[in-house]
Amino acid sequence: IDEEKLKKAGKLARRLHAADLADLIERLSYEQRAQLLDVLRDSFDAEVLPYLDETVRDEVVELLGPETVGRAIAELDSDDAIAIIEDLDEGEKEAILAAVDPADRALLEEGLTFPEYSAGRLMQRELVAVPSHWTVGQTIDFMRTNPNLPDDFYEIFIVDPRFKPVGVLSLGRLLHNKRPVRLRDIMSGDFVRLQAETPQDEVAYLFRQYGLVSAPVVNESGRLLGRVTVDDVVDIVDEEAEEDILRLGGVSESDLQSNVLATVRQRMPWLLVNLGAAILATRVIALFEGTIEEIVALAVLMPIVASMGGNAGTQTMTVMVRALAMRELSVSNAWRVVGKELLVGLLNGVVMATLIGMVAGLWFSPLIGAVIAAAMICNLITAGLMGTLVPLTLQKCKVDPAVASAVFLTTITDVMGFFAFLGLATAVLL
Amino acid sequence: IDEEKLKKAGKLARRLHAADLADLIERLSYEQRAQLLDVLRDSFDAEVLPYLDETVRDEVVELLGPETVGRAIAELDSDDAIAIIEDLDEGEKEAILAAVDPADRALLEEGLTFPEYSAGRLMQRELVAVPSHWTVGQTIDFMRTNPNLPDDFYEIFIVDPRFKPVGVLSLGRLLHNKRPVRLRDIMSGDFVRLQAETPQDEVAYLFRQYGLVSAPVVNESGRLLGRVTVDDVVDIVDEEAEEDILRLGGVSESDLQSNVLATVRQRMPWLLVNLGAAILATRVIALFEGTIEEIVALAVLMPIVASMGGNAGTQTMTVMVRALAMRELSVSNAWRVVGKELLVGLLNGVVMATLIGMVAGLWFSPLIGAVIAAAMICNLITAGLMGTLVPLTLQKCKVDPAVASAVFLTTITDVMGFFAFLGLATAVLL
C-alpha cells in the first residue's frame, strides 16, 4: 500500500473508539497490522491494548517495542496494565517494566505476585477511601480538590485507622444526604470483602449473586488493597462461559487467532483421547464379529443406537455442567435430578424405540425391530443416568466437568449402545 | 414438619440476603416450598422474586397469590417488576396488575408493549435527568432534596427541553468539579443511545464493546425513557452464553427446574432430528452391505472414522459458533479461517491416520490399515471444511448457528466417514 493511503488510514484509525480500533487491528493480516502500527506508533492509544485478543496483543507488543508499550502501560488503570503484562514472556515483561516509572512499577510488580485469575490480579488500585468520622461535606470537598481521583468510581470505601474497610457508600447515597451528616451514619456496614487470593469465578459468583457494582479487595491482614468493579466482572462472566463452551466442544482455548501449528497442537490431545475411546468401543463390536457375519443388517443399524445414546446423554450432561457452573446444583437436589433424568431417559427411550423399531422392522424384520427397540431403551436410560453421574462425579473429584464429561459419556454410551444391541441380537436372533 | 421448627426456619430465612433466600427456595421440594412461603407471606421480601428461576417463580407467584405479589411488585424497580410480570400467563398478569396502584400500573403496561428481550424491557424508569444549563451545585442540591431518587445510580443524564438526552455525566466527574461549573462544560456528549426496540444481545454487545456502566434508552422520537445498567447486562451475558451452551448441547431451554414431562417435551425435537440423521447415515452403510459381508473387520472399524470426524468437526464448529456470537468473525477474515481449518484438518488427519493405520494394520491387515488411514484423512479435512462452512452458512441464512450446526455437521461427517471408509475398502480390498 502506498504512503498516501496509509497516512489516511492512520488518520481514520485515530478517530475510532479504542475498542473499535482493536477490532480493526484483529481483522488485519500480519503485514497490514505492521504497517498500520508503524503509522500509529507515535500517538498510539494505550486503551486499545486491553481490548485485543491475547495472540494479537503479543504481536502488537512486539511490533510496537518495549518503549512505546511501557509508555502506554503507564497511562492505563492498574488492572488493565496487569492484564497486559501478565500474558507476556519473561524477557518482554522485564523490558517493559524497565520503561515504566518506579512508583508504578512497584505497584505492578506487587500485582503480579497475586495468583493468576484472582481478585488481586483483577483489582484496580485507584480508589477513594475515607475515615468514618468524616461528614458528607468533608468528603465532597476532598473529592473536589483531589487531583488523583480515579476516572470512574461509583462507591467510596470507609476505612478504619489501620486502613481496613468498615463500610461502603454509593455516590448516589452520598449525594442524597446533607453536608453535616457523618459517613458512619449512612454507610452500609454489611458488604462483601474479597480476599486478594479469591479466584475470579468466585468473584463473578459473588457479584452476580448479590448484584454488586464494586467490591473492596483486602490482604490477609484485612487492609484495603484495591477494588474490583462490575465491568471487569462482565469480562469474567464472558471468559468463564467461553471456557465452558469451548471445553464442552473439546477445545482447550479459543484459537481463532492462533496460527495453524498452534491450533493443531491445542486440539490434538482431545482427538487422541477420543481415538482411544473409539478404539475401546470397537473392541465391543469385535466381540460380536460372529453375529455380524451371520446378520449384516446389524452392522448397518448399530451406529443408530450408539449415536442416539450420545445425543441424549449430551443433552443431560450439558444441563448438568451448566447447573454446576452456575452453582444451581448441590447435594440436596442432586439426587432428585438424577431420578428425574432416569425417568426422562426412559420416556424418551420408549418414544425413540417405537419409531426405530418400526423403521427397522419394515426395513429388515420385526425381530430385528424389537431388538433395536429394546437396545434403544437400555441406552437412553444409561444416557440419562450417566449424563448426570459423570459430571457430578468429576465435580466431586475436583476435575472440571466441562473438560472431561463429554469423552467419558460418549465412550459409555457407545460401549453400552453396541453391547446392548449386538448382545441382545446374539441372544435373540442366533 | 412441626409448627415450632417452621417458625424458626422462617426467622432464619428472613435474615438471609434475598439472593440466598431465592437459592434456598429453589432447592426445596414443592411441599417444603409451600410451607416456607406460608410462614414468610406477611413479610415476604419482594427482592427475592427477581432472583428466582422462571419455573420456580411461577410456582411461588401462585403460592403467594396475586395480592401479596402485587404488593411485592410495587416495591421493586421497574425493570425487575417487568421481568417478573412478562413471564406470567394472561390471567395472573391481570390479577397482579389490578393489585398494583394506577401510576405504577401504567408504567408497567407501557413497558410490556416493548418487544421481549429488548432494551425497553430491560430498562429502569427511575433515573436522574437534568437540563444542561444547570450548574454542579444546583444538581447536587436537587439530588439532595429530591425524595424520588433511584436507589442506585452512577450517571446522570443531561436532557434538552424536549427531554432528549444530549449528554451523560458520571457522579465521580460531577463531584470532581466546583459548584459553579455548568454541566454542559463537563458532560460527555459522545455516548451510546439505545432504542427501546434494540435487542438485548445488541445491548450486551455495546456495553461490552465500550465498557459502559449505564446507557440511556430513547423512544422513536428520541425522548429519554429510561436507562439500562451494567448489572442487568451481567445477567444478559450469562443468559446469552447459557443459550449458546444449551443449544450446542441440543437443549432448547434450561430445564433443571422443569418437571419430567416438560423436560421430555423440550428435548424430544432434537432427538427426533438426530434419529432422522442417524437413519440417513445408515443408508450409506447399507450401500456397502456386500463388502461388509465379505470383510467383517470393516464393521468393527467403521465407527472410528465417523466418530473422529464428528469430534474434529465439533472442535472447529465450537470455535466458529463462539466467534460468531462474539462478533469476532466477519466476511473479511472468514475465508482466512476456512483456509486455516482446512490445513488443521489435514495435519490432524495425517497424525490420526498414522496412529489408527498402525493399530488397524496390526489388528487386521496392513491393507485395511492403509484404507482406514486414507479415510481418516478425508474425513478430518471434511470436518475442518464443514466445521467452518456450516455455521457461516447458517448465520448467513439468519438461523442461529448454535442451534442447528451440530446436527448438520455430524450428519455430514458420519456420511462422509462411512462412505470414504467403506467405499475405499470396496475399491481396494474386493
Side-chain angles (χ1 to χ4, degrees), chain A residues 33 44 60 131 159 171-172 195 228 359 372 391:
Chain A
R33 227 172 255 166
F44 186 75
V60 169
V159 289
L171 292 183
Q195 297 291 325
V228 174
V359 171
I372 198 171

Side-chain angles (χ1 to χ4, degrees), chain A residues 165-219:
Chain A
V166 293
V168 299
L169 181 59
S170 74
L171 292 183
R173 187 107 196 251
L174 179 78
L175 285 169
H176 200 39
N177 279 281
K178 299 220 157 61
R179 285 183 64 92
V181 174
R182 292 213 180 272
L183 298 187
R184 78 162 71 90
D185 299 324
I186 50 171
M187 75 185 192
S188 153
D190 182 24
F191 59 94
V192 174
R193 278 170 197 77
L194 302 171
Q195 297 291 325
E197 286 77 24
T198 307
Q200 67 173 25
D201 60 329
E202 177 78 18
V203 173
Y205 168 75
L206 291 168
F207 267 76
R208 220 162 22 203
Q209 177 79 345
Y210 301 113
L212 306 178
V213 177
S214 71
V217 181
V218 298
N219 67 9

Side-chain angles (χ1 to χ4, degrees), chain B residues 163-201:
Chain B
F163 218 69
K164 289 187 187 174
V166 294
V168 299
L169 180 60
S170 75
L171 292 184
R173 188 109 195 251
L174 178 78
L175 285 169
H176 202 37
N177 280 280
K178 299 222 159 58
R179 286 184 63 92
V181 174
R182 292 212 180 270
L183 299 186
R184 77 163 70 91
D185 299 324
I186 51 172
M187 74 184 193
S188 152
D190 184 23
F191 59 95
V192 174
R193 275 170 201 78
L194 302 172
Q195 296 291 325
E197 285 76 24
T198 308
Q200 69 171 23
D201 60 328

Side-chain angles (χ1 to χ4, degrees), chain A residues 88-96:
Chain A
L88 301 175
D89 54 45
E90 280 310 317
E92 286 177 312
K93 219 182 261 184
E94 273 172 42
I96 287 168

Side-chain angles (χ1 to χ4, degrees), chain B residues 410-429:
Chain B
T410 51
T411 306
I412 295 171
T413 52
D414 275 359
V415 166
M416 184 64 192
F418 294 135
F419 190 83
F421 181 52
L422 297 175
L424 272 173
T426 308
V428 173
L429 299 176

